[in-house]
């Protein structure tokens, strides 16, 4: 690729701001090494003015969570005509809303844990409390209660009994107006990153699934925000030690989900492998996967023989293949 002027969008006001700053810093360093001109932007009220002023050839979106991952920034970049890395606004919205993504996966026959989902208005105005018994009957305990649109396990809680359920719902609703309540899948925590191939022209570059990563928590009872980013609290194994057919199935599912949700450039699909039945279930898709030293996408790329700089170059290329 010829040298480009690239604005790296990082930080912003989301709860994952610190992680995003780290992802952005690493992307910047790689873009420098690759010979591109880098304009670092810690996203704030000046974002649009800065983009107008600097007129970059592309924006490299390294923002996780709100705004950078939910389609807001992507929509604005479309409006001002700046090409950008990764998925477009609609795919971002489909992925960020875990409830929407799960309903779409159900319609498409892609396995995802049984669930229900509602907005806080159901609690405040529709008397959803009267349906908690039905939810228990449908999903059983423990249940996983999560805000529909956070990342990094923020606000994810296990409810082990009827007593714990209302509190977990209220807790999730403090992060987002919508909650997802899911059947608990006992088993292994897997992630499959998908990357578009670099050398194909628009409109449809083909996507490849990278080797499967397994996240093995060391102390916490599940893979949470702390353990994900504090080096040493989670062990990552890549390629995950799995039977060949399980690996192939996980990669196949990730590619199906990537296409179903309309992702572009790169994404990471999180799955659970049920230890009792060996079935795979898709939990969610991240459209701006982390790029930190401990993140899963760089690890998976490395296992596929794609070093960090090449990974960044391929993500950058996605800005020009839409
Ligand atoms: N249904 C579930 N069964 C078992 N563990 C789950 C389930 N849902 C989430 N988890 C655990 O919580 C983690 C975070 O959940 P996830 O849906 O990927 O949300 P996010 O990563 O956006 O916070 C998962 O990686 C997994 O360890
Ligand atoms: Mg996840």
């Amino acid at each position: 690729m010829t040298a480009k002027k690239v604005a790296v969008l990082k930080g912003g006001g989301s709860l994952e701001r610190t992680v995003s700053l780290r992802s952005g810093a690493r992307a910047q360093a790689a873009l420098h090494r690759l010979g591109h001109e880098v304009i670092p932007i810690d996203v704030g009220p000046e974002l649009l003015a800065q983009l107008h002023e600097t007129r970059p050839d592309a924006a490299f979106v390294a923002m996780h969570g709100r705004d950078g991952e939910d389609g807001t920034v992507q929509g604005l970049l479309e409006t001002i005509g700046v090409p950008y890395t990764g998925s477009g606004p609609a795919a971002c919205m489909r992925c960020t809303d875990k409830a929407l993504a799960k309903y779409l996966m159900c319609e498409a026959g892609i396995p995802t844990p049984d669930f229900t989902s509602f907005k806080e208005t159901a609690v405040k105005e529709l008397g959803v409390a009267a349906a908690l018994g039905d939810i228990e009957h449908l999903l059983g305990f423990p249940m996983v209660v999560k805000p529909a649109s956070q990342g990094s396990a923020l606000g994810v809680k296990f409810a082990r009994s009827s007593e714990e359920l209302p509190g977990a719902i209220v807790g999730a609703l403090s992060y987002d107006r919508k909650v997802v309540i899911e059947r608990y899948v006992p088993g292994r925590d897997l992630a499959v990153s998908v990357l578009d191939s670099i050398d194909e022209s628009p409109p449809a570059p083909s996507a490849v699934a990278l080797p499967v990563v397994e996240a093995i928590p060391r102390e916490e009872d599940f893979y949470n925000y702390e353990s994900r980013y504090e080096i040493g609290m989670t062990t990552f194994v890549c390629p995950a030690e799995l039977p060949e057919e399980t690996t192939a199935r996980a990669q196949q599912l990730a590619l199906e989900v990537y296409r179903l949700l309309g992702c572009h450039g790169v994404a990471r699909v999180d799955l659970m492998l049920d230890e009792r039945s060996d079935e795979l279930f898709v939990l969610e898709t991240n459209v701006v996967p982390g790029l930190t030293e401990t993140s899963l996408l760089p690890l998976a790329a490395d296992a596929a023989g794609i070093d960090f700089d090449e990974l960044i170059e391929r993500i950058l290329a996605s800005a020009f293949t839409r």
Side-chain angles (χ1 to χ4, degrees):
M1 194 190 309
T2 55
K4 297 282 192 300
K5 184 167 156 183
V6 185
V8 174
L9 310 192
K10 58 180 178 170
S14 96
L15 294 170
E16 294 167 274
R17 170 181 169 78
T18 4
V19 181
S20 164
L21 290 173
R22 288 167 54 190
S23 289
R26 290 194 85 213
Q28 275 167 232
L31 289 165
H32 265 300
R33 287 191 295 269
L34 291 160
H36 301 294
E37 183 190 338
V38 177
I39 305 162
I41 299 183
D42 183 349
V43 172
E46 301 302 312
L47 174 64
L48 279 308
Q50 282 168 305
L51 291 170
H52 269 305
E53 201 175 299
T54 53
R55 282 280 135 201
D57 297 315
F60 189 104
V61 181
M63 300 167 68
H64 310 308
R66 202 194 78 194
D67 300 337
E69 208 159 356
D70 65 11
T72 302
V73 159
Q74 289 78 5
L76 290 168
L77 289 163
E78 299 259 342
T79 303
I80 64 170
V82 174
Y84 57 93
T85 56
S87 295
C92 290
M93 289 175 196
R94 288 188 282 260
C95 293
T96 296
D97 183 339
K98 290 187 170 82
L100 176 57
K102 284 173 68 74
Y103 282 120
L104 290 168
M105 289 191 284
C106 289
E107 284 177 8
I110 291 171
T112 185
D114 289 341
F115 73 107
T116 185
S117 172
F118 48 83
K119 290 194 302 172
E120 66 184 354
T121 49
V123 177
K124 291 184 177 156
E125 296 174 24
L126 305 176
V128 83
L132 295 185
D134 302 271
I135 295 173
E136 287 181 30
H137 182 72
L138 183 72
L139 305 175
F141 287 108
M143 282 174 214
V144 188
V145 182
K146 42 181 125 172
S149 72
Q150 283 299 327
S152 302
L154 286 165
V156 177
K157 285 259 176 327
F158 292 137
R160 290 173 185 80
S161 63
S162 310
E163 289 70 48
E164 287 182 10
L165 187 55
I169 294 172
V170 170
L173 288 174
S174 72
Y175 285 88
D176 189 43
R177 291 217 179 95
K178 203 191 284 182
V179 63
V180 171
I181 307 175
E182 211 171 54
R183 188 173 71 76
Y184 174 74
V185 180
R188 297 165 70 178
D189 209 318
L190 308 178
V192 181
S193 296
V194 176
L195 201 52
D196 280 352
S197 51
I198 199 164
D199 42 25
E200 284 168 63
S201 40
S206 60
V208 291
L210 299 180
V212 182
V213 179
E214 177 173 11
I216 305 170
R218 282 208 199 136
E219 283 157 43
E220 257 56 33
D221 62 347
F222 83 107
Y223 182 31
N224 70 7
Y225 191 65
E226 272 69 43
S227 67
R228 189 167 305 193
Y229 297 111
E230 292 317 313
I231 294 170
M233 287 182 70
T234 305
T235 309
F236 300 110
V237 180
C238 186
E241 287 164 31
L242 297 166
E244 228 172 89
E245 64 270 20
T246 308
T247 295
R249 169 104 177 111
Q251 291 177 321
Q252 170 69 24
L253 278 174
L255 284 170
E256 280 173 25
V257 172
Y258 186 88
R259 287 190 203 106
L260 172 74
L261 300 177
C263 298
H264 177 79
V266 65
R268 196 192 77 229
V269 179
D270 293 343
L271 310 97
M272 293 296 302
L273 174 61
D274 193 323
E275 66 196 5
R276 296 166 309 191
S277 64
D278 275 342
E279 273 173 283
L280 285 161
F281 294 94
V282 177
L283 293 180
E284 60 143 359
T285 301
N286 302 276
V287 284
V288 186
L291 296 169
T292 72
E293 303 75 15
T294 53
S295 296
L296 310 187
L297 168 62
L299 181 68
D302 193 66
I306 301 167
D307 69 21
F308 190 73
D309 290 5
E310 189 185 340
L311 172 65
I312 295 301
E313 182 88 344
R314 283 177 71 158
I315 296 175
L316 178 60
S318 72
F320 306 106
T321 54
R322 204 180 307 276

